[in-house]
Amino acid sequence: MIALLAGEGPRWFNIPAHRPFVHDLARGLLDALSPLGPEALSQAVVLTPTRRGARALADAFIAAAGGRAVLPPQIRPLGDLDEG
């Protein structure tokens, strides 16, 4: 198991305010889950506050992949409750 998910207890992570949030989040998830295999990222679920945030994160995963094929996580906006 990778260090990010090893051990028990709550896990808190942060991205400093001056950093590009969606790009750092996408890069961090790709780096953390890649040792578990290519399907590990696609099994993750990321909740965003809006559809706009979900689209930005999806674009960030494409950019973070650097031209490689990637199965992104499920990205679900919380702000659009009447859609599903």
Side-chain angles (χ1 to χ4, degrees), residues 6-62:
E8 294 194 23
R11 293 168 191 88
W12 293 89
F13 306 96
N14 69 342
I15 297 173
H18 69 279
R19 301 284 307 155
F21 181 81
V22 293
H23 294 287
D24 283 0
L25 178 61
R27 176 84 268 152
L29 284 174
L30 278 172
D31 292 345
L33 296 176
S34 63
L36 298 176
E39 71 284 348
L41 184 62
S42 68
Q43 294 173 358
V45 177
V46 179
L47 303 176
T48 63
T50 63
R51 279 190 289 173
R52 183 177 177 187
R55 283 191 305 269
L57 185 57
D59 291 343
F61 273 107
I62 293 169

